């Protein structure tokens, strides 16, 4: 968990954020929405950069306990997809 601010918000296109100074985790990212090539839905792309607390050791510890940000993002995107498809 960390505090962030929105730096770009284009409804239906993208939202970007960055962590606030002094946050435990330094991060920034963008979520982009684009019509699927088939015209049957929306593609969602997530890009995120982060620096875990305690550097490499912190990243390794997070991976060992199943709290790696990449893994969490995949799970969050799956939940988002399920919610959008089923309401």
């Amino acid at each position: 968990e960390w505090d962030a601010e929105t730096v770009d918000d284009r409804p239906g296109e993208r939202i970007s954020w960055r962590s606030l100074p002094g946050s435990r985790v330094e991060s920034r990212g963008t979520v982009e929405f684009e019509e699927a090539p088939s015209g049957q839905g929306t593609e969602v792309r997530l890009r995120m950069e982060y620096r875990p607390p305690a550097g490499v050791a912190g990243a390794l510890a997070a991976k060992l306990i199943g709290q790696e940000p990449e893994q969490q993002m995949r799970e969050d995107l799956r939940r988002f997809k399920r919610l959008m498809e089923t309401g």
Side-chain angles (χ1 to χ4, degrees):
E1 179 178 318
W2 64 89
D3 294 322
E5 66 181 341
T6 302
V7 294
D8 186 15
D9 187 358
R10 299 181 205 169
E13 291 181 32
R14 79 168 48 195
I15 186 165
S16 298
W17 73 91
R18 67 176 167 222
S19 57
L20 294 175
S23 294
R24 257 180 19 116
V25 177
E26 186 179 326
S27 71
R28 66 178 174 215
T30 299
V31 178
E32 295 178 316
F33 305 92
E34 186 175 307
E35 185 175 337
S38 64
Q40 299 290 320
T42 303
E43 291 184 353
V44 178
R45 288 187 192 85
L46 169 64
R47 283 181 283 199
M48 186 173 164
E49 297 177 27
Y50 69 96
R51 283 198 197 140
V56 174
L60 179 59
K63 188 172 188 170
L64 290 173
I65 64 171
Q67 296 297 313
E68 183 183 28
E70 186 174 333
Q71 175 186 349
Q72 290 179 329
M73 286 185 288
R74 269 192 242 112
E75 291 171 7
D76 289 344
L77 286 171
R78 281 189 199 109
R79 278 193 299 273
F80 178 71
K81 181 180 189 293
R82 195 171 335 136
L83 176 65
M84 292 295 102
E85 291 177 343
T86 62

